[in-house]
Amino acid sequence: MLKTRAKYHLGQIVRHKKHPFRGVVFDVDPEFANTEEWYASIPEESRPVKDQPFYHLLAENEQSYYVAYVSEQNLIADYSGEPVEHPDIDDLFGPFEDGHYPLHFQLN
């Protein structure tokens, strides 16, 4: 049985360590759960290990909004106090408060 604990939580704002984007965590996989094609598209020298949490983010950079899938090793917490402006945030979260977004609903 896999025993992994996610470092970041739903509604938390994080940023990528190497690429200029940030986002809000909206889902977490305890280990890699994307396609092999997606994994193979990452340059070999940059591929993260699969046995760690992977985060689904409502992400933004200076040019666009998108959904990102990022390994825990490539994220850091964002303590800027600035909200993320992704247009889908209101579908999942309440208003930005105290540096994070509260969920609209209770999960099981």
Side-chain angles (χ1 to χ4, degrees):
M1 177 194 253
L2 179 69
K3 294 186 179 187
T4 304
R5 184 177 190 104
K7 184 175 182 179
Y8 305 109
H9 59 82
L10 301 182
Q12 185 172 0
I13 299 174
V14 293
R15 69 175 56 250
H16 198 281
K17 287 181 178 178
K18 299 174 186 174
H19 302 290
F21 72 86
R22 57 199 291 266
V24 179
V25 175
F26 72 89
D27 196 9
V28 182
D29 294 331
E31 62 182 358
F32 179 78
N34 207 333
T35 65
E36 288 304 315
E37 292 80 15
W38 182 91
Y39 191 74
S41 73
I42 300 169
E44 193 170 345
E45 65 277 0
S46 299
R47 278 186 204 141
V49 296
K50 291 183 178 181
D51 62 346
Q52 65 178 313
F54 276 73
Y55 297 82
H56 299 262
L57 308 176
L58 295 176
E60 67 180 15
N61 61 27
E62 290 188 8
Q63 292 84 33
S64 66
Y65 302 107
Y66 52 97
V67 172
Y69 190 65
V70 186
S71 64
E72 188 169 275
Q73 76 185 59
N74 284 318
L75 292 174
I76 56 173
D78 181 326
Y79 297 113
S80 69
E82 296 295 319
V84 171
E85 303 295 333
H86 194 289
D88 295 336
I89 286 177
D90 291 342
D91 294 340
L92 299 172
F93 300 101
F96 183 70
E97 58 184 44
D98 298 325
H100 75 282
Y101 290 90
L103 286 171
H104 267 315
F105 51 87
Q106 184 67 33
L107 299 174
N108 291 336

